[in-house]
Amino acid sequence: MQNAHRIKQEICDIGRRLYNKGFAAANDGNITYRLNDREVLCTPTMHSKGFLKPDDICLIDMQGNQLAGRKKRSSEALLHLQIYKERDDINSIVHCHPPHATAFAIAREPIPQCVLPEVEIFLGDVPITKYETPGTQKFADTIIPVVKDSNVVILANHGTVSWGETVEQAYWWTEVLDAYCRMLMLARDLGKVNYFTEQEERELLETKAKWGFRDPRNEKRMENCDVCANDLFRDSWTSVGVERRAFEAPPTMKRVGASMAPQGSTGVARSNGSPVAAAPAATADQEALIQTITDRVVAALQNGAAR
Ligand SMILES: [Zn+2]
């Protein structure tokens, strides 16, 4: 049986990391953990996530009723509970307003894919859900169409929500996403974003499958798609108000094995958007990068198993 006090302590620790990273201003953000199919630990409302004590954590049921705790539960509990109802394979959820990812939420700019190995391995395509007033069931329901195909979601004009088996894992995906959004903005300001070739992207997706991480892009329905140009969630873009404005679409890929396929990354100039072949990328660099990711994942899994 799990130790509820230890999990409350972990929620406090992750709350401090959220606050120190600037992901949750004032009393923003909330964290939950599902103890069993009837009880969920939940951070309190109107309380900074940077200064939580285990005693501050509430206990609620699957309808959002408070079962224990001297402080009132977060008003965003319904969002968390809806995600738990849709995903019985995860136990913790982190919601916050990290500035770089939230900038994409406000601009309603889709997250470009095929740029950074960590993002392809750990996140995959990141959806943006429709805006609704926070705290309502209608808001909680916006997550339903995408919740099975992702582990982190951008909430339009609001923030992010991510989930995992542990509190720390649920937090990781938010941190990976916000760092990525920041890097994208910096690279764009330098004038150019380089995208992987199809072969480079397929190698990452194969690695991901080997490690046992699910990715809808590896499944039948995406088999013959241009893997970088076809965002898994593009069908929802019109209704959500999402449109590519700040970043060009990745260039259409040449099929793997095509004789004239360029080696290395394909560059897209921001000024006119015409595909430009970049200098050949060193294959050794790519392999070293994949090795680095492997080492990190193994370390993370060992770390998780030791808890
Ligand atoms: Zn919020």
Side-chain angles (χ1 to χ4, degrees), residues 28-30 76 79 95-97 134 139 155 158-160:
D28 288 355
N30 30 75
E76 299 289 31
L79 172 70
H95 162 63
C96 57
H97 310 156
F139 166 64
L155 308 162
H158 185 162
T160 60

Side-chain angles (χ1 to χ4, degrees), residues 5-49:
H5 184 80
R6 186 183 60 76
I7 293 163
K8 286 181 182 179
Q9 187 62 58
E10 195 180 0
I11 290 174
C12 298
D13 293 344
I14 293 299
R16 200 172 310 116
R17 280 162 75 174
L18 274 186
Y19 183 75
N20 291 344
K21 286 287 282 184
F23 290 180
N27 302 324
D28 288 355
N30 30 75
I31 304 169
T32 58
Y33 186 92
R34 171 163 55 187
L35 290 171
N36 51 56
D37 57 10
R38 290 163 285 103
E39 297 171 309
V40 172
L41 293 171
C42 179
T43 50
T45 190
M46 295 304 284
H47 197 299
S48 170
K49 300 307 148 314

Side-chain angles (χ1 to χ4, degrees), residues 126-191:
V126 179
I128 301 181
T129 54
K130 192 171 179 294
Y131 180 80
E132 290 291 347
T133 305
T136 61
Q137 185 57 43
K138 210 171 172 192
F139 166 64
D141 290 345
T142 61
I143 209 83
I144 296 174
V146 298
V147 70
K148 291 198 167 69
D149 285 330
S150 56
N151 55 5
V152 59
V153 164
I154 292 182
L155 308 162
N157 291 64
H158 185 162
T160 60
V161 59
S162 58
W163 46 87
E165 289 172 37
T166 64
V167 184
E168 185 168 29
Q169 199 186 67
Y171 167 75
W172 280 345
W173 314 144
T174 293
E175 191 172 306
V176 170
L177 176 63
D178 197 68
Y180 179 49
C181 290
R182 185 166 182 221
M183 290 177 219
L184 285 169
M185 292 180 201
L186 292 170
R188 198 198 54 166
D189 284 351
L190 292 174

Side-chain angles (χ1 to χ4, degrees), residues 80-223:
H80 293 239
L81 295 173
Q82 193 62 46
I83 295 168
Y84 288 128
K85 282 170 195 161
E86 306 285 331
R87 291 285 299 261
D88 52 17
D89 56 325
I90 60 107
N91 290 315
S92 187
I93 300 170
V94 170
H95 162 63
C96 57
H97 310 156
H100 305 92
T102 305
F104 279 74
I106 295 168
R108 300 194 187 174
E109 177 76 24
I111 305 296
Q113 317 158 53
C114 299
V115 175
L116 209 64
E118 274 89 349
V119 172
E120 299 309 308
I121 301 274
F122 294 129
L123 307 187
D125 283 2
V126 179
I128 301 181
T129 54
K130 192 171 179 294
Y131 180 80
E132 290 291 347
T133 305
T136 61
Q137 185 57 43
K138 210 171 172 192
F139 166 64
D141 290 345
T142 61
I143 209 83
I144 296 174
V146 298
V147 70
K148 291 198 167 69
D149 285 330
S150 56
N151 55 5
V152 59
V153 164
I154 292 182
L155 308 162
N157 291 64
H158 185 162
T160 60
V161 59
S162 58
W163 46 87
E165 289 172 37
T166 64
V167 184
E168 185 168 29
Q169 199 186 67
Y171 167 75
W172 280 345
W173 314 144
T174 293
E175 191 172 306
V176 170
L177 176 63
D178 197 68
Y180 179 49
C181 290
R182 185 166 182 221
M183 290 177 219
L184 285 169
M185 292 180 201
L186 292 170
R188 198 198 54 166
D189 284 351
L190 292 174
K192 190 174 170 186
V193 171
N194 290 291
Y195 294 93
F196 296 135
T197 61
E198 173 151 25
Q199 184 151 357
E200 289 166 340
E201 179 63 17
R202 294 275 178 208
E203 279 176 23
L204 290 171
L205 289 176
E206 273 169 34
T207 308
K208 185 169 186 174
K210 246 183 254 165
W211 292 345
F213 290 115
R214 183 183 162 253
D215 191 310
R217 294 175 297 177
N218 272 332
E219 292 165 11
K220 266 262 172 291
R221 58 189 157 134
M222 292 289 279
E223 215 165 52

